[in-house]
Structure formats: structure tokens, C-alpha cells
Amino acid sequence: MNYDYYRVFLSVGKHHSFTRAAEELYTSQPAVTRTIKNLETELGVKLFVRSKKGVEFTLEGERLYEGASAAFALLNKTEEELSASLSLQAGSVALGATITALDEFLFDFLESFRKDYPGIKIRISTHSSDQTIAKLRQGKIDIAFVTTPYRYSEDLIAFTISSFENIVIAGHGYPELRKGKHDIASLSKYPLVYLSSAMQLREYCDDIFRAHGVSVTPSIELDSASTIAPMVAKNFGIGIVPKSLVRDALEKGEVFEVQTIEPLPSREVVMLKSASYPETAPAKAFFLSAKEHSKSHR
């Protein structure tokens, strides 16, 4: 199939006009018409129908436009990255991360990476693990940093970056929890400040209580782990959080750690990249540097 066929097809689809496509491509309208007919013959389907405003897609044409647009966008991105990053003095890398992954690893690592590659631009978006992985599969980011538990599949290449501690916290409205150690089952009787059901920390907490034979219903559900400590400090309930996220609140005495008889299982920060998309030079440098940084800090 001729590459130029698709270039002409995308231009007609964008403008919904053979005439405007010809102007954009610096060719004649008959040449555009002939190219579209050749493409339709090759594919065995009709791609456009005439309308009062120009041309409109058929169902087959719309499907082809979506696929061809994505393919050309990826091709253009790859070409731009290749030309800009041959020496790793330019280019960019798009990252997706959970808030916990940022706090547990990325903030520290980014400082050293920028020293080694000052010309590479870094873009970071923060979402839940599931949302971050979805963006990775869609090709919207180059590398994902998520926390366990997460849903792994064979189209992802994974590397475990680090493990981190989780603790139970409470506010001053529950002074009895300051004394001694408490079993997990007994803590289920207290109001719980939780994340929403779509979040990995929620799944982790549910698993902990289930492992001790109890099911829980949270009193308050939130959409960010960083908001748990302020709610706990106001005595809306107790919470389970990564210790790093509440270090300041602990030091200020806004909340305190509840000692448990059974240790809470640790969680991990995992770095992921897609096996389905080409890897740019900056993304490859970032992935390898993160691996080495992780190994040297264990």
C-alpha cells in the first residue's frame, strides 16, 4: 500500500473536501480524487460519500481514519524524537505515576537524572495505577511508575524499583489506640478513612482485613492518599497509608502511628514500559538510569 495514499486520505478526512486537501498537498483535485479511488480499490470499500458541505466518511472510512491517524501520529512522534535525541541532548520523556511512586522514588531520582541529561524535557502526569497503565497502553506516556497491587499483563515490561512501609494512623480522638499493640480485626470496629474502590491502596487495605477474617465498610471514601491524613487528624476515623506520605503529619503530632500486632505487608513501586510501542532514546535512557539508581540504593 502506498504511503502517499494514506497521506492524501488523511488530508481529505481532515478537511472533508477534495479541493482543500489538494491545496494543502500542493497538487490538483483530480489527482486527489484518483488517489482516493485507488485506495478504495485496494481496500475494497468505499471511504467517502458526497454531501452538501463536501464529503463525509462512510463507516469504513471513519474506522480507517481513526487507525491511520493514530499510526501517523506515532510515526511523526518517533521521527521527531529520533531527530531530536540522537545525542540525548534534546527530546523528551513522558512519565505517568501515582502520588506514592512520586514520593517513594521519582522525586529523588529526577534530581540525579536531570544532572546527567539536562537537555531532556520531562513531563509527568499523576493518576491511579490503573489509569496510569491505561495511558501507557495508549501510547500517551513512555514510562509508568505504579504501586502494588496492580494488574500486570504480558504487553508490559516491569521492573521492581523499591518497597515501602505502610502504617495505621489515628487522630487524638482515639487516645486508647496510643497504648500497646492492636490486632487488625479489632481495628475494623473503628470508623475507617479509605480510598475509593478504584484505587490500589483500597485494594491493599481490603486484602489486609480479609486476611484476618473481617470485611469492612469505610466511613469516608477519598480519591487521593494525600488527603487521608488531614481527615484522620480531624478524627473522622483511622487510616492505612504509606508512611512516607504522612511523615510531616507524624512529626507535627497531627496524627500518630497505631502499633499493630500483625505487621502490615510491604508494597512495591514498579516501573513499567510497553512492549508494543517503539522506545525513544530519552525514554530508554530514563528507564535504564532508573534501574541503576534503584539497584544502587537498595
Side-chain angles (χ1 to χ4, degrees):
M1 187 69 68
N2 194 318
Y3 172 89
D4 286 335
Y5 284 6
Y6 282 104
R7 189 165 58 88
V8 173
F9 168 72
L10 288 173
S11 183
V12 174
K14 179 174 69 174
H15 296 295
H16 292 277
S17 167
F18 282 58
T19 301
R20 293 181 64 186
E23 293 172 353
E24 180 181 64
L25 299 172
Y26 299 99
T27 188
S28 66
Q29 182 175 331
V32 170
T33 302
R34 185 167 55 252
T35 298
I36 295 301
K37 286 184 177 179
N38 289 341
L39 181 59
E40 289 176 331
T41 299
E42 291 271 6
L43 297 174
V45 296
K46 191 168 182 61
L47 300 173
F48 295 103
V49 292
R50 297 283 181 178
S51 71
K52 293 181 180 179
K53 297 181 179 180
V55 293
E56 299 293 337
F57 287 120
T58 62
L59 289 176
E60 293 80 7
E62 188 169 1
R63 286 180 62 190
L64 183 64
Y65 186 80
E66 291 175 359
S69 295
F72 269 65
L74 179 59
L75 179 61
N76 290 336
K77 176 185 175 184
T78 304
E79 288 178 345
E80 290 170 2
E81 292 283 4
L82 285 174
S83 62
S85 61
L86 290 176
S87 64
L88 289 177
Q89 298 304 310
S92 65
V93 57
L95 309 176
T98 65
I99 294 296
T100 303
L102 277 173
D103 198 67
E104 291 289 343
F105 176 76
L106 270 178
F107 284 141
D108 176 59
F109 169 65
L110 285 172
E111 184 178 2
S112 64
F113 183 80
R114 289 301 297 273
K115 290 178 181 177
D116 293 335
Y117 301 98
I120 295 178
K121 296 180 181 179
I122 299 172
R123 303 191 305 273
I124 304 175
S125 60
T126 56
H127 298 281
S128 69
S129 289
D130 283 348
Q131 291 170 325
T132 300
I133 290 173
K135 290 172 73 71
L136 181 65
R137 286 198 173 105
Q138 294 163 5
K140 294 180 179 179
I141 57 175
D142 298 305
I143 302 172
F145 289 86
V146 302
T147 49
T148 56
Y150 73 98
R151 292 160 185 81
Y152 173 77
S153 61
E154 295 298 328
D155 63 327
L156 303 175
I157 298 170
F159 178 82
T160 299
I161 289 290
S162 63
S163 61
F164 58 94
E165 182 184 359
N166 297 269
I167 62 172
V168 180
I169 58 171
H172 301 296
Y174 303 99
E176 70 277 10
L177 293 178
R178 284 185 178 275
K179 303 173 184 178
K181 291 188 176 183
H182 305 267
D183 63 87
I184 299 297
S186 67
L187 294 179
S188 67
K189 300 174 184 177
Y190 286 85
L192 295 171
V193 179
Y194 248 33
L195 291 188
S196 64
S197 58
M199 311 292 281
Q200 273 59 46
L201 180 56
R202 168 64 174 269
E203 186 176 337
Y204 167 82
C205 294
D206 285 341
D207 287 344
I208 289 174
F209 284 110
R210 275 196 295 266
H212 291 85
V214 293
S215 60
V216 295
T217 302
S219 298
I220 293 180
E221 294 186 64
L222 306 169
D223 61 3
S224 172
S226 63
T227 58
I228 292 178
M231 298 298 288
V232 170
K234 295 294 184 181
N235 300 310
F236 286 105
I238 65 173
I240 299 177
V241 290
K243 191 169 186 177
S244 61
L245 288 185
V246 294
R247 193 171 289 117
D248 288 345
L250 290 168
E251 291 176 355
K252 293 176 182 178
E254 297 169 348
V255 299
F256 61 89
E257 180 179 353
V258 179
Q259 300 297 323
T260 59
I261 296 173
E262 309 93 341
L264 300 187
S266 62
R267 295 169 65 202
E268 296 176 331
V269 175
V270 179
M271 177 171 62
L272 302 167
K273 63 180 179 179
S274 173
S276 304
Y277 290 95
E279 188 175 32
T280 66
K284 183 176 182 179
F286 194 97
F287 193 89
L288 294 176
S289 296
K291 286 179 66 175
E292 291 305 313
H293 185 89
S294 169
K295 291 176 181 178
S296 65
H297 286 72
R298 289 181 182 176

